[in-house]
Amino acid sequence: MTAAAPTADRLLARVRELLAAHPPATTGRAAFLSARFDAGLAWVHYPEGLGGLGAPRSLQAVVDAELEAAGAPDNDPRRIGIGLGMAAPTILAYGTEEQKRRFLRPLWLGEEVWCQLFSEPGAGSDLAALGTRAVRDGEDDGDWVVDGQKVWTSSAHTARWAILIARTDPALPKHQGITYFLCDMTAPGVEVRPLRQITGEAEFNEVFLTGVRIPDAHRLGEVGQGWAVARTTLMNERVSIGGMRIPREGGMIAPVAAAWRERPELRTPDLHQRLLELWVEAEVARLTGERLRQQLAQGQPGPEGSGMKLTFARLNQEISGLEVELLGEEGLLYEDWTLRRPEIVDFTGRDAGYRYLRAKGNSIEGGTSEILLNIVAERVLGLPAEPRDDKDLAWKDLAR
Amino acid sequence: MSSPAAAPLDLLYSETEEELRTAVRSLLAARCDSAAVLARIEGAEPHDPELWRVLAAGIGAAGLLVPEKLGGQGAGHREAAVVLEELGRAAAPAPYLTSSVLATEILLGCESAESADLLRELAAGRRICVPALPLTLAPGAPLPAPVRDSGAGSLSGSVGSVADAVCADVLLVLADTGLYAVPADAAGVSRTPLVALDLTRPLATVHLDGAAGTRLADPATARAAIAGALLSGAGLLASEQLGIAEWCLTETVAYLRTRHQFNRPLGSFQAIKHRLARLWLDVASARAAARAAADALATGAADAPLTVAVAQAYCSGVAVRAAEECVQLHGGIGMTWEHPAHLYLKRAKADSLALGTAGHHRGLVADFAELAAP
Ligand SMILES: Cc1cc2nc3c(=O)[nH]c(=O)nc-3n(C[C@H](O)[C@H](O)[C@H](O)COP(=O)(O)OP(=O)(O)OC[C@H]3O[C@@H](n4cnc5c(N)ncnc54)[C@H](O)[C@@H]3O)c2cc1C
């Protein structure tokens, strides 16, 4: 952090300097992004030298808006979402100086895509139950050797690096024996197999780890402290959704409203009632997101953040379901079942059938709606946790 | 989409608004707890004149929408919305929506010397004035057939379901020859109390039989003024509905944290936790919707009618759902007369009919957003 946090005015002046020195019209994409990082305008709340200026996080929106207005290229956050939203803040919080310098810049520039090796066949919602093992080869700073299987890994096929959690001590209770690593996806023993999903494409994968060697320098945080590190990742995964600004009638409701206006022959009174109800709910969700943004800008983060993902998941599913029905005969069709391996995770693209099917994942990925409701009930409303008996048992003695 | 673009809205509460909230809340805590409300609605007079005196004149809440040059606070809809949130949270029987919002907005729309005089009285809390219109009258709906003027301002006719008429000093009467201010105790005026679902907002039928009043506006001005008042009223009612929903959620959470069955707090059962978490989400969304409506009205935003319709279409349902969950999750206690949950259920349900149902407002959304009916 710098001594005096830059103000909005100072940031804007810096953005203008950047634009003057590197006019987007004549500067190549990579060169512009590099210059932006070096100017501390990549993520303004990061420290100087790491793409930031130690400014309040809320001021990023000011910078982004100004750059967008000037037609500056962005780093395609949809392609590098896991790196930007999850790996970067975790590395910033727990990384050594060397790790931060090595990983943050190429991550932000989009040169290196990241994936998240957390979920396993036996550990999804109960993530801390994971069984992938990391065993040290030799003494204190020896390499780690990792064996296990991960699943539902989005973008593993395009990723250069992964955030990985693995069990380093099975004799401890499940939350205590976990360690966090940065895993090289090109290392020998990493095998990525496409996992076809209900949309027909393979956006996520199974990842098999067989004798994968990870140098100790790529451990993030202390041995056995992986759960605390993972919680930073998970928290960032959830907040990265609420802050987005969308226009009125943006998102999933847009194509339905457009179809309604353009194709009067599809209209029925029943569909009209349901469309209006969802239109209102989408507008209220937009306003709730806007209110959250305003709270954050004033430095008073409200609990509303925990709820936005729940709302978006439900609305996306209901709206896309209505859209398929509205289309009548056309709703019976699907654009293309070819097994594709998309480079980006696309929630809204393609046709109505795709949207309907892809939206089903919105209430599963990044914490299921059931788990998020538990979190709201316990952390926001202060309701008591359910009784549980797995907290103090050694991981190796848990029922599986 | 060719409907008006969304204006940047201020959806937070300012410091002054929070101070106002504190003042209103402590007054209501002192004079209007649920035991007091129950006692009053069982007696002859649900309204508490002393409470009104302090709220209206002491705190100055009655004049929030009235410009300073007419003796008001020159504040606006955002502040009035905060007052309504607190009145909703207390299920307070106070004629705020009717006198300080609806009647005040109608009078502001009249722009006559007579209406200015009346506004001064209202803003100072010296008189209560309510529109002689049914509470269900909605923005965008046709106005009811006016009272007949048989010549020289002699008014005859009757209007049902007039909220707070029983405590009004002045009735605003829409006649075929314009808008009239009729003293509630004038010759030819009678008010027949009705047995209302919502005990905290009493209803009456107003009969006029050759009653005389002061003419405030011609028919066209009167109709435009009423239309504007209904829009504001509907927008601010969303804040009352938010207050109701918040009370219901807070009370229910508090109860379920301490109530034990099966050797556990009931609030530790996931079926209950998920219901409350969903309700919390709805309330958080209702707050954004209600604030948006208040701010759009305050700034006279071009898309205020759409924002108001969205808020009403959403907040009505949330208040009812919150009150219904409150009754259900309190179990047997929730069904008793003693427990205040029923006051909120009745207010929430009546509010969902007041100033247009959610369905009516969705119809307005269809118009504004150009999503035409089949
Ligand atoms: C499209 C997509 C992309 C994904 N990408 C990644 C990725 O890149 N990296 C990664 O590590 N993971 C990824 N995931 C995995 C995701 O995080 C998990 O699927 C999720 O956490 C749920 O785990 P599970 O699938 O094992 O379901 P389970 O935990 O087996 O849950 C099954 C059902 O039981 C419910 N349930 C579970 N526990 C409780 C409880 N305590 N109370 C009530 N209900 C409960 C769940 O809500 C769910 O409905 C992705 C998933 C999807 C769908």
Side-chain angles (χ1 to χ4, degrees):
Chain A
M1 287 274 180
T2 43
T7 58
D9 286 348
R10 280 197 44 211
L11 283 176
L12 281 179
R14 251 186 124 93
V15 171
R16 285 182 201 126
E17 274 169 40
L18 170 73
L19 288 165
H22 307 272
T26 53
T27 311
R29 187 186 143 82
F32 186 87
L33 291 174
S34 276
R36 179 175 168 187
F37 189 92
D38 296 337
L41 295 169
W43 30 44
V44 297
H45 58 295
Y46 276 38
E48 277 186 60
L50 294 173
L53 294 166
R57 183 180 186 144
S58 54
L59 294 180
Q60 185 71 45
V62 178
V63 171
D64 291 348
E66 189 74 9
L67 286 170
E68 196 190 318
D74 80 7
N75 53 355
D76 197 358
R78 288 197 308 167
R79 201 170 69 86
I80 59 167
I82 292 176
L84 268 188
M86 291 137 75
T90 316
I91 292 171
L92 182 69
Y94 285 94
T96 60
E97 216 38 48
E98 237 183 302
Q99 288 169 335
K100 291 181 202 171
R101 299 215 172 266
R102 162 64 187 86
F103 290 112
L104 291 177
R105 195 169 205 279
L107 183 162
W108 193 86
L109 295 180
E111 290 168 359
E112 290 179 349
V113 172
W114 285 71
C115 69
Q116 178 194 24
L117 293 173
F118 278 22
S119 303
E120 297 182 6
S125 302
D126 187 10
L127 182 58
L130 60 90
T132 290
R133 291 293 313 275
V135 177
R136 203 161 225 173
D137 184 17
E139 282 313 300
D140 262 6
D141 54 4
D143 287 356
W144 296 84
V145 180
V146 179
D147 287 278
Q149 184 194 342
K150 297 286 176 177
V151 74
W152 326 126
T153 316
S154 307
S155 309
H157 53 290
T158 56
R160 173 68 178 76
W161 290 95
I163 43 179
L164 163 76
I165 44 181
R167 186 156 306 280
T168 42
D169 190 346
L172 290 175
K174 65 180 179 184
H175 292 95
Q176 293 169 29
I178 297 174
T179 303
Y180 199 115
F181 298 96
L182 307 175
C183 173
D184 183 347
M185 293 296 284
T186 63
V190 177
E191 189 198 344
V192 176
R193 293 188 200 155
L195 197 50
R196 198 175 189 195
Q197 62 199 45
I198 59 179
T199 54
E201 57 186 30
E203 178 191 293
F204 54 32
N205 305 270
E206 292 180 294
V207 178
F208 294 86
L209 304 162
T210 317
V212 178
R213 296 191 83 84
I214 299 183
D216 193 51
H218 289 173
R219 167 167 55 79
L220 195 63
E222 299 304 313
V223 175
Q225 295 301 304
W227 186 247
V229 186
R231 283 184 48 148
T232 301
T233 308
L234 297 175
M235 256 157 47
N236 278 289
E237 180 167 18
R238 282 153 203 168
V239 298
S240 68
I241 296 176
M244 276 181 315
R245 187 168 198 171
I246 52 166
R248 174 178 289 159
E249 209 180 85
M252 288 265 190
I253 196 77
V256 200
W260 184 268
R261 289 192 193 104
E262 285 153 23
R263 305 181 51 185
E265 76 281 5
L266 299 175
R267 300 175 192 165
T268 71
D270 165 58
L271 289 167
H272 192 229
Q273 285 311 311
R274 287 157 60 201
L275 171 63
L276 289 175
E277 221 163 293
L278 290 171
W279 197 95
V280 166
E281 287 186 43
E283 171 69 358
V284 172
R286 182 183 76 82
L287 292 168
T288 311
E290 180 65 22
R291 182 159 199 277
L292 177 68
R293 243 178 30 81
Q294 292 180 4
Q295 279 179 309
L296 285 173
Q298 294 218 340
Q300 20 164 301
E304 274 93 343
S306 339
M308 291 311 293
K309 179 177 182 290
L310 280 162
T311 302
F312 279 117
R314 183 180 61 78
L315 278 179
N316 281 353
Q317 293 174 354
E318 288 183 18
I319 293 169
S320 58
L322 178 74
E323 189 184 1
V324 170
E325 206 179 320
L326 167 69
L327 292 176
E329 267 178 50
E330 226 172 277
L332 294 171
L333 308 178
Y334 192 77
E335 188 186 303
D336 181 7
W337 289 115
T338 316
L339 170 74
R340 315 191 204 188
R341 311 224 62 200
E343 290 230 335
I344 57 166
V345 172
D346 190 358
F347 287 180
T348 54
R350 294 171 55 185
D351 62 350
Y354 173 87
R355 279 192 281 280
Y356 172 70
L357 296 173
R358 181 59 185 85
K360 293 292 165 236
N362 292 165
S363 55
I364 301 172
E365 60 203 333
T368 67
S369 291
E370 287 74 21
I371 294 297
L372 293 182
L373 286 169
N374 285 348
I375 290 176
V376 168
E378 290 172 24
R379 310 228 184 108
V380 179
L381 296 178
L383 289 165
E386 284 192 277
R388 51 190 296 182
D389 54 15
D390 61 343
K391 273 209 144 149
D392 302 321
L393 277 181
W395 174 81
K396 62 182 170 46
D397 299 329
L398 292 174
R400 249 183 298 275
Chain B
M1 189 177 76
S2 54
S3 69
L9 295 165
D10 175 2
L11 301 173
L12 305 180
Y13 299 101
S14 71
E15 244 167 72
T16 345
E17 286 161 17
E18 290 296 359
E19 282 162 23
L20 175 64
R21 180 198 302 289
T22 307
V24 175
R25 194 182 284 192
S26 60
L27 169 66
L28 292 171
R31 282 215 63 99
C32 190
D33 64 7
S34 52
V37 176
L38 266 174
R40 286 214 152 259
I41 59 174
E42 287 178 275
E45 206 191 348
H47 298 104
D48 173 355
E50 178 59 15
L51 169 73
W52 182 252
R53 200 186 55 71
V54 182
L55 178 70
I59 296 179
L64 286 173
L65 295 177
V66 179
E68 276 167 294
K69 66 177 192 313
L70 294 176
Q73 307 291 318
H77 299 84
R78 294 175 54 91
E79 292 81 358
V82 169
V83 174
L84 278 165
E85 271 182 39
E86 293 308 309
L87 293 172
R89 198 193 307 276
Y96 195 82
L97 181 69
T98 45
S99 185
S100 309
V101 177
L102 291 169
T104 298
E105 292 274 24
I106 293 175
L107 291 169
L108 286 168
C110 288
E111 290 186 22
S112 60
E114 292 80 2
S115 58
D117 289 344
L118 200 42
L119 277 169
R120 270 182 236 283
E121 296 283 296
L122 288 196
R126 282 194 292 271
R127 289 212 263 175
I128 295 170
C129 177
V130 313
L133 294 167
L135 183 61
T136 46
L137 187 59
L143 293 183
V147 160
R148 230 168 350 89
D149 181 354
S150 59
S154 169
L155 309 173
S156 297
S158 65
V159 190
S161 302
V162 179
D164 297 328
V166 284
C167 70
D169 304 302
V170 180
L171 299 164
L172 295 184
V173 176
L174 175 65
D176 46 6
T177 50
L179 188 79
Y180 290 80
V182 179
D185 56 3
V189 178
S190 66
R191 291 167 285 173
T192 314
L194 299 165
V195 181
L197 173 68
D198 174 10
L199 296 139
T200 64
R201 185 170 276 142
L203 302 175
T205 302
V206 170
H207 304 279
L208 302 169
D209 186 7
T214 310
R215 188 164 182 270
L216 304 173
D218 62 62
T221 308
R223 284 170 176 270
I226 290 172
L230 293 173
L231 178 69
S232 289
L236 296 187
L237 179 63
S239 289
E240 177 174 304
Q241 289 163 328
L242 167 63
I244 293 170
E246 278 209 298
W247 183 90
C248 293
L249 174 64
T250 309
E251 282 298 302
T252 310
V253 167
Y255 180 71
L256 292 170
R257 277 163 71 166
T258 51
R259 169 83 176 159
H260 279 65
Q261 298 281 284
F262 305 100
N263 197 36
R264 281 166 66 176
L266 283 174
S268 71
F269 284 94
Q270 197 180 60
I272 303 275
K273 284 158 88 166
H274 284 191
R275 276 168 84 156
L276 292 174
R278 280 201 193 91
L279 193 54
W280 171 82
L281 261 181
D282 292 348
V283 173
S285 306
R287 181 177 296 102
R291 275 278 94 186
D295 193 60
L297 288 167
T299 58
D303 60 355
L306 170 58
T307 308
V308 166
V310 164
Q312 263 310 302
Y314 190 77
C315 296
S316 276
V318 172
V320 172
R321 203 150 56 243
E324 289 177 348
E325 288 289 78
C326 180
V327 169
Q328 172 66 22
L329 295 176
H330 275 80
I333 288 173
M335 279 301 285
T336 64
W337 188 267
E338 238 103 315
H339 192 279
H342 68 99
L343 297 175
Y344 291 85
L345 179 64
K346 292 162 187 172
R347 172 70 79 87
K349 194 66 188 174
D351 273 3
S352 75
L353 276 63
L355 295 160
T357 61
H360 174 83
H361 286 280
R362 281 197 291 273
L364 295 177
V365 168
D367 296 343
F368 298 131
E370 295 178 1
L371 297 165

